[in-house]
Amino acid sequence: MTTPLLGDPASMSALGASLRRTAGHLAADGEALAGAVTGATPGWPGPRSVRLRRRTSTTAEQTTAVASALDEVGRSLQTAATDLAAAIARLRELEDAAATMGLEVREGAVTRGWGITGVADAAAAREEDGRRHRLQEQVHQTITALGRHRARLAKDLARGQGLLARAADELRR
């Protein structure tokens, strides 16, 4: 492939799946902790028990929030992996199409191959230029879509980072 390394969809998807599994475990732990606090509340009087129950309830709530954030990030990574795999496949198709026309796709630009190509015919040269421009437009559309997908992933990851930071702040109190 003459395009630069675009990423590894399989690794992104595996990371997303791992985060989502961890989120499931955390959500179950948060529910178990909340249930334990509720079960221990009757007959557990005193100011110390109230503080401990409050702190434990906060921990259960934040565990659930962290699980939700991890699940969202994992889902975003898996969606981005699918988008990336589709973009890589499309770019490979376009490179193959370019090669059959005697053209090359290098770093997002469709250019003529090295050496003598074509014939000395003005009409044929215009036709070739038209094909090259159409192919260039398809390459540009694919790369632009990939950029939009990456921007969406970056936004989702930043949102997840914010959720995790807020949960950490709550737990430090």
Side-chain angles (χ1 to χ4, degrees), residues 2 98-99 101-114 117 128-129 132-133 135-136 139:
T2 57
M101 291 185 249
L103 303 170
E104 293 180 346
V105 179
R106 288 198 177 273
E107 297 180 17
V110 179
T111 60
R112 287 188 179 89
W114 289 98
T117 60
E128 180 185 322
D129 280 345
R132 188 172 55 80
H133 287 298
L135 190 60
Q136 178 64 61
V139 168

Side-chain angles (χ1 to χ4, degrees), residues 76-98:
S76 293
L77 280 168
Q78 288 181 314
T79 300
T82 301
D83 295 339
L84 178 59
I88 289 171
R90 179 66 178 143
L91 286 172
R92 284 188 178 141
E93 288 173 9
L94 293 172
E95 283 184 340
D96 291 344

Side-chain angles (χ1 to χ4, degrees), residues 24-105:
H25 295 306
L26 274 176
D29 290 346
E31 289 173 12
L33 182 58
V37 170
T38 302
T41 299
W44 193 18
R48 249 181 152 189
S49 66
V50 170
R51 274 188 306 238
L52 183 58
R53 281 195 307 266
R54 200 173 295 144
R55 179 84 174 131
T56 307
S57 293
T58 299
T59 302
E61 290 168 11
Q62 294 311 311
T63 300
T64 302
V66 167
S68 177
L70 288 178
D71 188 56
E72 279 184 44
V73 167
R75 188 177 315 109
S76 293
L77 280 168
Q78 288 181 314
T79 300
T82 301
D83 295 339
L84 178 59
I88 289 171
R90 179 66 178 143
L91 286 172
R92 284 188 178 141
E93 288 173 9
L94 293 172
E95 283 184 340
D96 291 344
T100 62
M101 291 185 249
L103 303 170
E104 293 180 346
V105 179

